[in-house]
Amino acid sequence: MKFRSSLLLAIVLGAAMLSCSSKKTYKSTMHNLIPKPVSANETNEVFTLSDSTAIYVQSDSPADLQVAQWFADKIKPATGFALKVSASKEAPKAGGIYLIYGTDSTLGDEGYELNISKDMVRITANTPAGWFYALQTIRQLLPPDAELGTTQKGPWQIAAGTIRDYPEYTYRGSMLDVARHFFSVEDVKRYIDLIAAYKMNILHLHLSDDQGWRIEIKSWPNLTSIGGSTEVGGGKGGFYTQEQYKDIVKYAQDRFVTIIPEIDMPGHTNAALASYPELHSIDSSVANLQKNMEQHKETDTAINLYTGTEVGFSTLRTHKEITYKFIDDVIRELAAITPGPWIHIGGDESHVTSKEDYIPFVTKVQQMVVAHGKKVIGWDEIALSTTMQPNSAVQFWADADNSKLAVSKGAKVIMSPAKKAYLDMQYDSTTRLGLHWAAYIEVDSAYMWDPANYADSIRRENILGVEGALWSETITKMDDIEYMVFPRLPGLAELAWSPAAGRSWDEYKVRLGNQAPRFKAMGIDYYPSKLVPWKE
Ligand code: TNX
């Protein structure tokens, strides 16, 4: 009897200890990373972050130290540690995280090698961007609790081993439509943080459309005072002052994200046309279209703001000098506050601009962008222009022939096929937000394609990268953004970063499912697709 009860006690105690320890210690592993690194070899050890861990940067440039400080700030709320950041060229010793400049050319401009032992962490890269991506990787090696905003217990272990990693494509982007519905500077910053966490490096801001003009242009103030005053559904809209835009650009730069501003033209311009009647061209076909639209009634001198969701009814006057004065002013002011190399000129769905007018228009506007020192991006239709400027890119969304034409004119292609990369498409017919004109895009479908094999005529060497586009006709708040973007965006990020060889949904979905506690800790309102084995 005595023997049996002590045996029972031992079993009960043992089980309690087991469940306790499995609850307490998160097992860090290199096998759950998104995007998947080029190579990862785990040892059985762990490095444990403590309040005495220090970060040493092999440079005293403020921009370089900033990368380390970003990481220290990121993990401070949950760990409670104020990791000390300093410049040091001394040999690595125990207890440190070292950011080191290397000379390994296979790592390129964004790659890194991460060596983690139980004593120290060494990050070697050719650029601070490489350090930043290594630190994003370390973030994902930490327990999900590290993402929380209040002090947690730890322990803060990260799996030891070696990771070598670098991106497949240099352009890894996401587009946010702030025109159909306006999003605040704070929302845009959160979005930047979310995309950067998955090693994306481009945020394309769709700054103008029929329903709103969202960037201050000092020489044409009505664009924002009138054109920025509403949005889809008739809400109050909004716009970024140039100071706010610069603040967004800086925030993005600190996270190695380049902002690409888009001014969509000659179509998708109703907000501008309503702001300056001299820019609009009401020909009979437009007038007819407008008559069919209840909210959109023209008068002799001005046209109304538009808060519906039709596309393809507006156009700038392509024959008037004033139009080009307007565009030149806009591009000049935008180029002056945009340090990134690109300006996006839209060019899509100009259904009421005749082809004879469209071709010289987009040809000329491209020259204007180059004259202001920037490279051109446009939706794939701009391939119709007579000539394309050197170093231009078109964004493939629907018509492979356009992209093929662009390639024949010397341009590169950004892959955003609507059937795969449109983040405003519903997951299935029950999704409460979004559209489905291109497809229903479940999480597996968004992942199961290869940019380099998607369209026959567009090959790897023609492709600059991948961009997921979130149009916002139905998206009104940050939670909506998150719901549509997560979890499809991490998958697109992986298509852009990780090698295609050996890619499989069955393997990926497990890694994705294992991100659930991380999404939750980050406060991300994600779509819990039934196709993914979500971890509790
Ligand atoms: C097409 S694709 C558009 C946008 C819409 C979107 C909605 C493209 C270049 N234009 O104007 O917002 O569909 O899914």
Side-chain angles (χ1 to χ4, degrees):
M1 193 63 183
K2 200 169 172 220
F3 172 75
R4 273 184 58 195
S5 63
S6 56
L7 181 68
L8 199 68
L9 189 69
I11 290 171
V12 170
L13 274 177
M17 275 166 68
L18 264 180
S19 75
C20 223
S21 64
S22 67
K23 220 185 206 164
K24 251 200 189 149
T25 313
Y26 171 84
K27 173 120 177 49
S28 176
T29 168
M30 292 180 170
H31 298 303
N32 284 332
L33 296 167
I34 298 178
K36 189 178 186 171
V38 173
S39 76
N41 294 298
E42 231 171 69
T43 62
N44 289 322
E45 295 176 336
V46 291
F47 176 85
T48 307
L49 275 176
S50 74
D51 55 1
S52 62
T53 304
I55 313 183
Y56 301 99
V57 183
Q58 196 196 45
S59 148
D60 56 8
S61 110
D64 290 4
L65 290 164
Q66 180 273 132
V67 179
Q69 193 59 51
W70 166 84
F71 179 74
D73 293 347
K74 188 92 220 149
I75 63 163
K76 188 173 175 202
T79 60
F81 305 155
L83 299 192
K84 207 172 136 250
V85 171
S86 56
S88 166
K89 291 205 159 83
E90 277 162 37
K93 48 183 196 304
I97 298 177
Y98 289 84
L99 274 51
I100 304 161
Y101 274 116
T103 53
D104 178 345
S105 63
T106 52
L107 297 178
D109 288 342
E110 297 181 293
Y112 62 90
E113 184 171 304
L114 181 54
N115 291 288
I116 305 172
S117 71
K118 67 180 189 348
D119 295 328
M120 67 176 84
V121 175
R122 279 176 302 132
I123 297 170
T124 313
N126 300 324
T127 63
W131 294 341
F132 179 74
Y133 293 128
L135 291 168
Q136 290 287 14
T137 296
I138 291 178
R139 224 179 128 187
Q140 286 192 32
L141 294 176
L142 280 164
D145 277 3
E147 299 292 339
L148 290 167
T150 55
T151 316
Q152 307 295 311
K153 260 228 201 79
W156 305 107
Q157 297 181 336
I158 60 176
T162 301
I163 294 179
R164 274 180 66 79
D165 200 15
Y166 44 85
E168 173 69 17
Y169 293 99
T170 57
Y171 186 115
R172 305 178 302 280
S174 179
M175 188 207 79
L176 184 61
D177 173 5
V178 296
R180 270 52 176 274
H181 282 99
F182 181 66
F183 295 94
S184 69
V185 172
E186 284 318 302
D187 286 344
V188 175
K189 287 182 175 174
R190 175 163 167 84
Y191 196 66
I192 290 168
D193 279 323
L194 294 177
I195 69 171
Y198 294 93
K199 302 187 174 75
M200 282 192 162
N201 63 356
I202 300 280
L203 176 61
H204 163 188
L205 287 175
H206 185 74
L207 288 169
S208 70
D209 212 301
D210 290 316
Q211 300 85 348
W213 184 284
R214 308 296 179 206
I215 180 71
E216 176 192 20
I217 300 295
K218 293 182 196 284
S219 52
W220 295 76
N222 295 357
L223 289 172
T224 43
S225 64
I226 297 175
S229 68
T230 192
E231 60 184 8
V232 168
K236 71 178 173 32
F239 65 92
Y240 310 118
T241 63
Q242 293 198 356
E243 288 310 308
Q244 288 173 322
Y245 177 85
K246 286 193 227 169
D247 180 39
I248 291 172
V249 165
K250 171 76 172 76
Y251 190 87
Q253 264 178 338
D254 287 348
R255 287 149 185 80
F256 300 89
V257 170
T258 298
I259 300 291
I260 299 183
E262 176 185 354
I263 299 297
D264 202 348
M265 53 192 154
H268 290 280
T269 42
N270 193 81
L273 308 181
S275 308
Y276 288 98
E278 60 268 42
L279 299 174
H280 79 71
S281 152
I282 297 294
D283 64 31
S284 58
S285 61
V286 183
N288 283 336
L289 252 160
Q290 289 181 337
K291 269 182 211 127
N292 294 336
M293 282 177 205
E294 257 184 19
Q295 302 104 310
H296 189 166
K297 297 202 180 72
E298 61 174 297
T299 69
D300 287 345
T301 53
I303 59 169
N304 290 343
L305 290 164
Y306 180 67
T307 59
T309 59
E310 298 292 325
V311 294
F313 61 86
S314 55
T315 185
L316 286 164
R317 252 178 194 166
T318 60
H319 293 288
K320 284 277 172 127
E321 218 22 66
I322 183 79
T323 298
Y324 297 97
K325 164 93 177 90
F326 163 74
I327 295 170
D328 194 56
D329 286 341
V330 169
I331 294 174
R332 181 178 355 89
E333 289 196 33
L334 206 49
I337 54 174
T338 302
W342 304 99
I343 290 205
H344 197 305
I345 61 167
D348 58 313
E349 299 174 321
S350 289
H351 301 323
V352 295
T353 321
S354 72
K355 209 166 169 181
E356 296 70 46
D357 289 347
Y358 180 86
I359 292 171
F361 175 87
V362 287
T363 307
K364 188 162 173 172
V365 172
Q366 289 180 67
Q367 291 161 355
M368 293 166 78
V369 169
V370 171
H372 287 293
K374 297 295 176 186
K375 299 196 279 187
V376 178
I377 302 186
W379 296 104
D380 57 37
E381 290 97 318
I382 71 160
L384 297 174
S385 58
T386 327
T387 52
M388 295 198 70
Q389 296 297 308
N391 307 312
S392 297
V394 299
Q395 197 166 353
F396 171 84
W397 64 280
D399 187 341
D401 287 344
N402 283 341
S403 296
K404 197 171 159 186
L405 186 61
V407 167
S408 76
K409 293 179 180 175
K412 295 270 192 237
V413 181
I414 295 156
M415 294 300 289
S416 302
K419 288 183 191 328
K420 295 290 183 185
Y422 268 27
L423 298 167
D424 65 319
M425 291 298 119
Q426 293 171 291
Y427 293 99
D428 64 26
S429 62
T430 68
T431 311
R432 68 187 163 84
L433 301 164
L435 309 173
H436 58 261
W437 64 265
Y440 292 115
I441 309 179
E442 247 297 355
V443 184
D444 58 347
S445 174
Y447 181 78
M448 288 197 281
W449 62 288
D450 178 12
N453 284 304
Y454 186 76
D456 284 350
S457 46
I458 312 167
R459 307 193 191 299
R460 174 66 188 88
E461 65 268 24
N462 308 129
I463 299 173
L464 209 55
V466 179
E467 185 175 297
L470 183 63
W471 301 99
S472 66
E473 285 94 333
T474 64
I475 310 298
T476 62
K477 52 185 193 295
M478 193 66 212
D479 276 355
D480 297 349
I481 294 180
E482 291 171 12
Y483 189 79
M484 297 309 277
V485 160
F486 281 89
R488 291 182 289 200
L489 182 122
L492 292 176
E494 177 152 310
L495 299 188
W497 179 282
S498 310
R503 187 179 290 150
S504 109
W505 164 252
D506 283 333
E507 184 271 338
Y508 172 72
K509 73 180 181 195
V510 176
R511 271 185 292 129
L512 180 59
N514 286 337
Q515 295 258 332
R518 212 165 284 284
F519 290 166
K520 283 185 194 139
M522 291 164 87
I524 296 172
D525 180 17
Y526 65 96
Y527 160 64
S529 169
K530 290 193 179 64
L531 306 178
V532 179
W534 298 109
K535 190 174 163 183
E536 284 306 308

